[in-house]
Amino acid sequence: MVSEAAKVEVQNVSRWYGDVVAVNDISFTLEPGITGLLGPNGAGKSTMLHMISGFLRPSVGVISVLGATSWRNPEMFRSVGLVPERESVYPFLGARAFAEASARLHGLPDPEDAAGRAIARVELEDAQDRPMGGYSKGMRQRAKIAAALVHDPEVLVLDEPFNGTDPRQRLQLMEMLRRMASEGCTVLFSSHILEEVERLAENVLVIVNGRLAASGDFRQIRRLMTDRPHTFELRTSDNRALAAALVGLPHVSAVELTDSRLDVRTTDFGAFTAAIAGAVRDSGVTLQQLRPADESLESVFSYLVGS
Amino acid sequence: MAQAEPTPGAGAAGTIYDLGYQGYDGPRRGRRYALWSLYVLSVRNAFGIGRGALPKVMAFVLLLFAHSLAIIQLILGAVLPVDEFEFVSPEDYYGLIQFILVLFVAAIASDIVGNDRRTNTLALYFSRPIERDDYALAKIAALCSGLLALTVLPQLLMFAGNALGASDGLDWVRDNADELPRIIASGVLLCLAFGSLGVLIASYAERRAFAMISVIAIFLVSFTVVGVVVSEIDNDQMRWAIFLSPLHVVDGSTHYIFDALPAVDELSRRGEPADQVAWADFPGYVWPFALLATSVVASALVVRRYRGSV
Amino acid sequence: MTLTLLSLTAHQLLGRRRAILIALLALIPVGVALLIRFAGDLGSEPQYGTAADTIGGFVFLLLLPIGALVFGTSALGSEVEDGTVVYLLAHPIARWRVVVVKAVVASGATMLLTAPASLLTAVIILGGFDEESLWWAATVATLVGSIVYSTLFVGLSTVTSRALIIGLIYVFVWEAFITNLFSGTRWVSVREYVEGTADALTTAAPVTAKLEGQEAAIASVVVVAASLVVGTWFLTRFEIGERA
């Protein structure tokens, strides 16, 4: 049973292109507040967001936004705002005129006023009358956001909204989204950058290879991510002697000797890094190299989907 | 080179690890092979090989229509009891399918030149052993070869079919043997001129759509304008206007090569393009020579275009 | 709402190089007409044959379809290509309204650049507004053709991203090549509607057509309506950038 507060509801949704599966059996619900959709490039984040905003038909499954199916339902946009990922804008319009056109297309009673407020929210007043063709990436991003929230949407969907923004703009946009969320707006944004999601989202959905890999409270997931087994590669003067010593440590789950290398698997990143120096000294070998084998974000993600 | 072994763990702030990448010391095929690969790739692209369904269908449709008259000729020749039946004669063939040829040039030129520009692969090509001149010439060669399939091929097909349809095939071939070099010469000249002009126009257009429309506009507008102007204005200077229309020049060249330039009478000016060419009253060899000159100049301009900033 | 849509589309279509390209193209028949008038042997009688050849050969065969192709396929198509169509569609606007507005603007732009070319060409060659109303027939036929071609290509651009090349094949292979060979296909050739309209409105003998005026009118209405229906059908099912 879905709670009353659910604004967006995704049920067993899959989407494939020919024989490529982009989104694979994903279900979740969104409530007011900020949710981050996190995943590496090509994970299916955009596909998911496009389906939620009615620009892609789910191959199977149901998506409802504010109680109605999103596919083939333009009326939904009365209370939904979308910031697409594509950078292109109408080059001949200024941000103000762009937001105003958006307000008029929404049929708002006072489009000038609505556009003015939206531009103020993204702090783009300085450049509001210059044609957007000459904008920087960050300015375009903000102009797009202004146009998307001109009608005070209940649900705001943003595809990679921080692309091209500088750190200061990013903070400012985050602050704005937080304020909207505190006013009861349901914000869903995608990002492939862990830190962005960490700083903004209280709730997180992790998508890897089209599947939902994790969801829920961010801190909880972050802990799960760091507590996974880690692999280190070592080169020493005597691999075998060190291997013997390491096997004795409680958090070392496996050691493997290859031609010139010693691979060590540990269940506790912190404890292992603290203990390794002592173990090396005690066994009397010389450590020539020590490095983690899999520290990329992608490897964290693939750990989460268990591959 | 040989520096002190970095002490492990002693403040080595940055290290580059040997991940096993190796340089390539084997034999290299060199520039000529790269050029050949680019040419083959472009020809394949022209017919949609290695591309999506739509380019394939499009190329097939244009090929089919370019061959349609030859096919009709063969079918009628086989069905009708008349010996030596001629539904379409070889010297008129290109004139009848000229819209299809122009469309093919527009579509393919904008594709093989425009795609590299749009996807920014042009810079990648130029950072390889392929040189700028090579690139330009490979693209022209690719379009010209593609065009051969729409011009010389149906002509040869028709030639073969007519021979098979004649009551004594060998006799027919012996009588018409001079057609073969004519078919090839006229077709090759057409392909060279159209191919180089097409690439030239497309290489100046920023967008694909713009390239396509420009090629079509330039070929067909010049053809129509010259046709109307020559037939409506009785003025000796108008003879020179014919050179502005590549389609007229091709007509002249083909008819000259087949030794079939029409006789001139007072109505020629208002007649078919071939009549108008005959009316212009230049020595016949001017037409193939003009096509050749067009090809050379256009190719040189394309080469120049790619030597500049692209 | 509709006004905003109109002005956005008009701005996109006319504020760019494509409008200049078509305008230049539209100047050519007028220039040819002037050349014929001042350098040719028109005599004092109106030369209906010359006018019909010039307008038929240039405007109906080239300028009109190319202009409509350029405006029709880019009214919606270029927005789909560069992704800005999403801003439009992320609003509570009925999709039929979007298609109709795009078709209206594309038709308007085509009319604006082609109809004066027809009118001027006719008037210049015929030395004024002729008694056989050829000038009137040419202008009205160009207006009708602008609407039918443009709407057709707007509809086509909702179906495929390669509307331009398909439209070119339709115009220059189907209409110019096939319909010339087999007149049975005249019902599916917009050019025949244009010529039918022109023929019905003038008494000048050199203007001939394969379709009657009424037939052309009915066929035009059917094509416009079908294009709008098809366009709406596909736009309501519009999907963002399918991955290859």
Side-chain angles (χ1 to χ4, degrees):
Chain A
M1 202 50 219
V2 181
S3 76
E4 281 296 296
K7 300 290 186 189
V8 176
E9 205 181 325
V10 175
Q11 275 176 14
N12 303 101
V13 165
S14 299
R15 166 76 202 203
W16 51 81
Y17 300 89
D19 46 13
V20 177
V21 179
V23 163
N24 189 351
D25 196 26
I26 287 185
S27 301
F28 60 82
T29 59
L30 297 182
E31 293 172 9
I34 304 183
T35 305
L37 187 59
L38 178 64
N41 292 325
K45 299 189 299 285
S46 285
T47 304
M48 194 67 237
L49 293 185
H50 288 156
M51 286 195 288
I52 290 175
S53 44
F55 284 108
L56 277 179
R57 190 170 52 87
S59 300
V60 292
V62 182
I63 296 179
S64 65
V65 176
L66 301 171
T69 313
S70 62
W71 176 240
R72 289 184 60 196
N73 179 19
E75 282 300 306
M76 164 182 96
F77 289 105
R78 287 197 188 288
S79 19
V80 174
L82 171 69
V83 181
E85 184 185 8
R86 293 277 296 264
E87 221 181 81
S88 51
V89 285
Y90 301 112
F92 48 86
L93 284 184
R96 172 80 185 238
F98 184 37
E100 198 178 310
S102 177
R104 286 184 197 281
L105 291 175
H106 277 296
L108 299 185
D110 189 352
E112 285 96 0
D113 176 61
R117 277 187 291 121
I119 292 291
R121 269 191 182 172
V122 298
E123 295 181 9
L124 204 54
E125 293 100 329
D126 292 346
Q128 62 178 3
D129 295 322
R130 269 199 282 141
M132 292 192 284
Y135 278 15
S136 70
K137 282 186 182 184
M139 289 160 77
R140 283 181 197 205
Q141 228 23 298
R142 285 185 285 161
K144 280 157 55 185
I145 294 172
L149 47 76
V150 74
H151 59 307
D152 298 307
E154 265 186 81
V155 175
L156 183 60
V157 177
L158 309 99
D159 199 350
E160 300 277 356
F162 304 112
N163 270 1
T165 53
D166 65 38
R168 199 191 60 79
Q169 294 166 347
R170 201 167 311 163
L171 282 182
Q172 190 262 323
L173 281 181
M174 286 181 174
E175 187 46 46
M176 187 202 78
L177 292 177
R178 263 187 220 112
R179 214 176 315 124
M180 289 186 66
S182 69
E183 288 161 9
C185 182
T186 306
V187 178
L188 175 63
F189 75 98
S190 69
S191 172
H192 58 280
I193 298 170
L194 204 56
E195 283 66 32
E196 279 177 9
V197 180
E198 182 171 16
R199 276 157 71 175
L200 185 58
E202 49 233 42
N203 193 26
V204 66
L205 301 162
V206 184
I207 291 193
V208 188
N209 290 335
R211 290 156 71 195
L212 194 60
S215 72
D217 179 72
F218 185 82
R219 273 164 298 277
Q220 185 70 30
I221 292 174
R222 181 77 203 229
R223 201 168 308 122
L224 288 171
M225 284 183 179
T226 20
D227 287 353
R228 74 208 160 93
H230 288 257
T231 304
F232 289 89
E233 292 173 14
L234 293 84
R235 286 175 204 275
T236 67
S237 56
D238 186 349
N239 287 344
R240 193 166 292 278
L242 184 62
L246 289 179
V247 156
L249 295 176
H251 41 263
V252 169
S253 55
V255 286
E256 189 184 348
L257 283 162
T258 56
D259 293 343
S260 61
R261 212 175 66 200
L262 171 62
D263 289 352
V264 181
R265 207 165 163 73
T266 168
T267 51
D268 188 334
F269 184 90
F272 178 78
T273 46
I276 181 71
V280 167
R281 192 181 54 235
D282 295 346
S283 52
V285 301
T286 311
L287 184 61
Q288 289 151 353
Q289 188 185 75
L290 163 67
R291 66 182 181 102
D294 53 354
E295 270 310 283
S296 67
L297 188 61
E298 275 73 11
S299 72
V300 176
F301 286 136
S302 42
Y303 162 69
L304 281 171
V305 287
S307 57
Chain B
M1 286 290 256
Q3 292 193 343
E5 280 276 305
T7 334
T15 319
I16 293 173
Y17 300 108
D18 177 11
L19 296 179
Y21 291 114
Q22 292 173 0
Y24 178 72
D25 305 320
R28 289 178 186 271
R29 307 237 218 182
R31 172 177 158 195
R32 195 165 312 142
Y33 185 78
L35 187 57
W36 171 249
S37 305
L38 180 64
Y39 166 77
V40 171
L41 178 76
S42 302
V43 174
R44 283 167 55 96
N45 278 353
F47 293 102
I49 303 166
R51 309 258 318 267
L54 194 75
K56 287 193 187 74
V57 172
M58 208 183 68
F60 177 76
V61 166
L62 291 177
L63 261 176
L64 183 74
F65 283 126
H67 280 79
S68 60
L69 296 177
I71 294 168
I72 292 173
Q73 157 81 37
L74 295 187
I75 292 173
L76 291 181
V79 172
L80 296 177
V82 197
D83 205 26
E84 306 248 331
F85 168 81
E86 201 166 57
F87 163 74
V88 51
S89 54
E91 68 269 20
D92 290 333
Y93 203 94
Y94 304 140
L96 290 169
I97 60 165
Q98 60 188 15
F99 277 21
I100 291 159
L101 298 180
V102 169
L103 207 55
F104 183 82
V105 171
I108 305 308
S110 63
D111 221 51
I112 60 177
V113 181
N115 262 353
D116 289 341
R117 192 185 297 276
R118 192 165 48 95
T119 56
N120 290 325
T121 35
L122 201 52
L124 292 179
Y125 279 124
F126 291 164
S127 60
R128 296 290 185 282
I130 291 178
E131 294 191 359
R132 287 170 174 238
D133 297 6
D134 298 347
Y135 177 87
L137 294 176
K139 290 291 177 181
I140 293 174
L143 180 54
C144 295
S145 325
L147 270 169
L148 285 176
L150 279 78
T151 52
V152 174
L153 204 59
Q155 291 266 38
L156 291 177
L157 187 74
M158 210 160 70
F159 182 84
N162 281 337
L164 292 175
S167 47
D168 185 345
L170 272 178
D171 254 11
W172 192 90
V173 171
R174 211 171 298 132
D175 291 349
N176 295 280
D178 58 330
E179 270 195 17
L180 272 179
R182 290 176 171 176
I183 285 172
I184 291 168
S186 62
V188 166
L189 278 173
L190 180 154
C191 294
L192 284 176
F194 278 21
S196 52
L197 275 178
V199 173
L200 176 65
I201 299 166
S203 73
Y204 272 95
E206 283 294 318
R207 295 188 45 202
R208 255 180 62 104
F210 207 70
M212 232 185 296
I213 294 287
S214 305
V215 172
I216 289 182
I218 288 172
F219 274 93
L220 296 190
V221 165
S222 61
F223 175 71
T224 312
V225 168
V226 167
V228 170
V229 164
V230 165
S231 67
E232 296 303 333
I233 302 175
D234 191 7
N235 178 325
D236 233 22
Q237 310 303 316
M238 282 303 140
R239 303 190 311 138
W240 296 92
I242 300 251
F243 286 106
L244 294 176
S245 163
L247 293 175
H248 275 89
V249 179
V250 163
D251 247 330
S253 159
T254 309
H255 280 83
Y256 169 72
I257 290 174
F258 279 97
D259 201 14
L261 275 173
V264 186
D265 56 35
E266 67 270 25
L267 284 177
S268 290
R269 202 158 57 81
R270 297 177 184 260
E272 298 291 310
D275 295 312
Q276 295 184 327
V277 170
W279 165 83
D281 197 26
F282 290 99
Y285 60 81
V286 162
W287 305 114
F289 182 74
L291 274 191
L292 204 58
T294 307
S295 317
V296 171
V297 171
S299 303
L301 287 175
V302 174
V303 166
R304 209 186 68 139
R305 162 82 176 130
Y306 281 100
R307 278 185 190 163
S309 60
V310 282
Chain C
M1 189 187 281
T2 309
L3 267 180
T4 312
L5 206 51
L6 270 172
S7 75
L8 273 179
T9 309
H11 211 130
Q12 274 177 304
L13 274 190
L14 294 173
R16 295 203 191 162
R17 266 191 312 186
R18 64 171 76 90
I20 300 171
L21 175 82
I22 302 303
L24 285 177
L25 218 50
L27 284 177
I28 292 176
V30 180
V32 169
L34 285 171
L35 201 62
I36 294 174
R37 164 115 316 247
F38 292 110
D41 42 5
L42 283 173
S44 52
E45 286 298 303
Q47 295 294 324
Y48 291 107
T50 304
D53 283 352
T54 310
I55 296 171
F58 204 98
V59 181
F60 293 172
L61 185 65
L62 288 177
L63 177 63
L64 182 58
I66 288 181
L69 255 176
V70 168
F71 291 125
T73 57
S74 54
L76 237 162
S78 67
E79 267 202 281
V80 171
E81 197 179 312
D82 70 15
T84 48
V85 75
V86 172
Y87 302 123
L88 216 58
L89 297 183
H91 287 91
I93 309 168
R95 301 319 188 208
W96 65 263
R97 194 188 293 267
V98 176
V99 175
V100 169
V101 168
K102 296 287 180 182
V104 166
V105 176
S107 306
T110 313
M111 286 177 178
L112 199 67
L113 290 174
T114 59
S118 278
L119 178 61
L120 286 174
T121 307
V123 168
I124 291 169
I125 293 181
L126 298 171
F129 300 105
D130 59 289
E131 286 165 10
E132 311 269 8
S133 342
L134 182 57
W135 64 275
W136 167 246
T139 311
V140 173
T142 310
L143 292 174
V144 169
S146 299
I147 297 174
V148 182
Y149 271 124
S150 305
T151 311
L152 176 66
F153 294 138
V154 167
L156 184 64
S157 71
T158 62
V159 181
T160 165
S161 58
R162 311 268 304 211
L164 181 67
I165 182 66
I166 294 176
L168 283 172
I169 290 181
Y170 169 74
V171 168
F172 291 107
V173 177
W174 182 265
E175 290 195 352
F177 186 69
I178 302 290
T179 310
N180 251 358
L181 287 179
F182 313 101
S183 70
T185 58
R186 65 186 182 278
W187 283 102
V188 274
S189 167
V190 178
R191 193 165 125 215
E192 302 301 331
Y193 309 168
V194 174
E195 288 177 353
T197 308
D199 186 27
L201 293 177
T202 177
T203 44
V207 182
T208 56
K210 298 191 181 98
L211 288 176
E212 298 294 322
Q214 268 181 335
E215 295 173 334
I218 293 170
S220 300
V221 171
V222 169
V223 168
V224 168
S227 304
L228 292 177
V229 169
V230 168
T232 307
W233 200 89
F234 276 94
L235 196 65
T236 39
R237 288 159 185 80
F238 168 78
E239 298 204 328
I240 284 181
E242 55 265 43
R243 296 193 318 191

